[in-house]
Amino acid sequence: LQFGSKAGGDGNIKHTGSNLQISETTGNIQITNYNTDGDVVLSSDDGSGGETAYITLDGGEVITKFHKPITVSGSINQGITSATEDATVVIDLSSGNYFNITLGANVTDIDFTNGTDGQRFLIRFTQPGGANYSIAYNAVTHDQDGGGSPANVTIKWAGGITHAMTRTNAKADTIGFIINDENAFDGFIIGQNL
């Protein structure tokens, strides 16, 4: 099956197998080309070799895997996950990479879930207008697969300086982390007293 872009020109869509489906439903175009693993494969036909991306449905979750460099001509905007937390801060790392947490008590426990090795993320901790709470990092856990068995996390802070929350009403600190393993994070103080 081949659709030509112009007379005598190369085709826009080429298909040599039996598992390509192109359909239009209520204005949406669906293109499905499964490989033997059940992935939707997006590939170029310019002779550069191989597929450029796989899109997989894993238990209803869409997972995209790129095998070549990604070029973006515009900005990539990711939403902010905001919450007010008390003594136990719970952060689901599968929901994004930027978290704005308003403190509601002195933090004695931070529980991360669903992070991946190599993931980088930021947390902006904000003091409420009428209080100045502290944050302790001696009870940090990470349940990487979300299965209910969290590991205790050791944080290696850049320069050996552990973050101490700014104790001023309505001020914020921004902290960055890199996940090296389920139980090993690098921590960075990005900005304080903001």
Side-chain angles (χ1 to χ4, degrees), residues 103-168:
L103 301 178
N106 291 323
V107 175
T108 57
D109 183 18
I110 302 175
D111 298 330
F112 296 105
T113 59
N114 302 311
T116 57
D117 291 353
Q119 183 174 356
R120 290 148 322 262
F121 62 96
L122 300 176
I123 305 173
R124 186 178 194 262
F125 289 109
T126 304
Q127 297 282 11
N132 46 54
Y133 297 118
S134 64
I135 300 174
Y137 291 94
N138 55 353
V140 177
T141 63
H142 181 207
D143 185 359
Q144 190 157 7
D145 63 4
S149 299
N152 293 324
V153 173
T154 299
I155 300 174
K156 292 184 178 179
W157 292 95
I161 302 171
T162 302
H163 170 242
M165 184 66 199
T166 298
R167 302 291 294 273
T168 304

Side-chain angles (χ1 to χ4, degrees), residues 80-85 89 91 97-103 112 121-127 135 137 163 165 170-177 188 190-194:
I80 301 171
T81 301
S82 298
T84 297
E85 300 281 347
V89 173
I91 296 178
N97 290 311
Y98 180 58
F99 303 88
N100 191 358
I101 304 297
T102 300
L103 301 178
F112 296 105
F121 62 96
L122 300 176
I123 305 173
R124 186 178 194 262
F125 289 109
T126 304
Q127 297 282 11
I135 300 174
Y137 291 94
H163 170 242
M165 184 66 199
K171 291 294 185 176
D173 292 354
T174 299
I175 312 303
F177 294 95
F188 305 88
I190 296 173
Q192 291 189 279
N193 198 30
L194 302 171

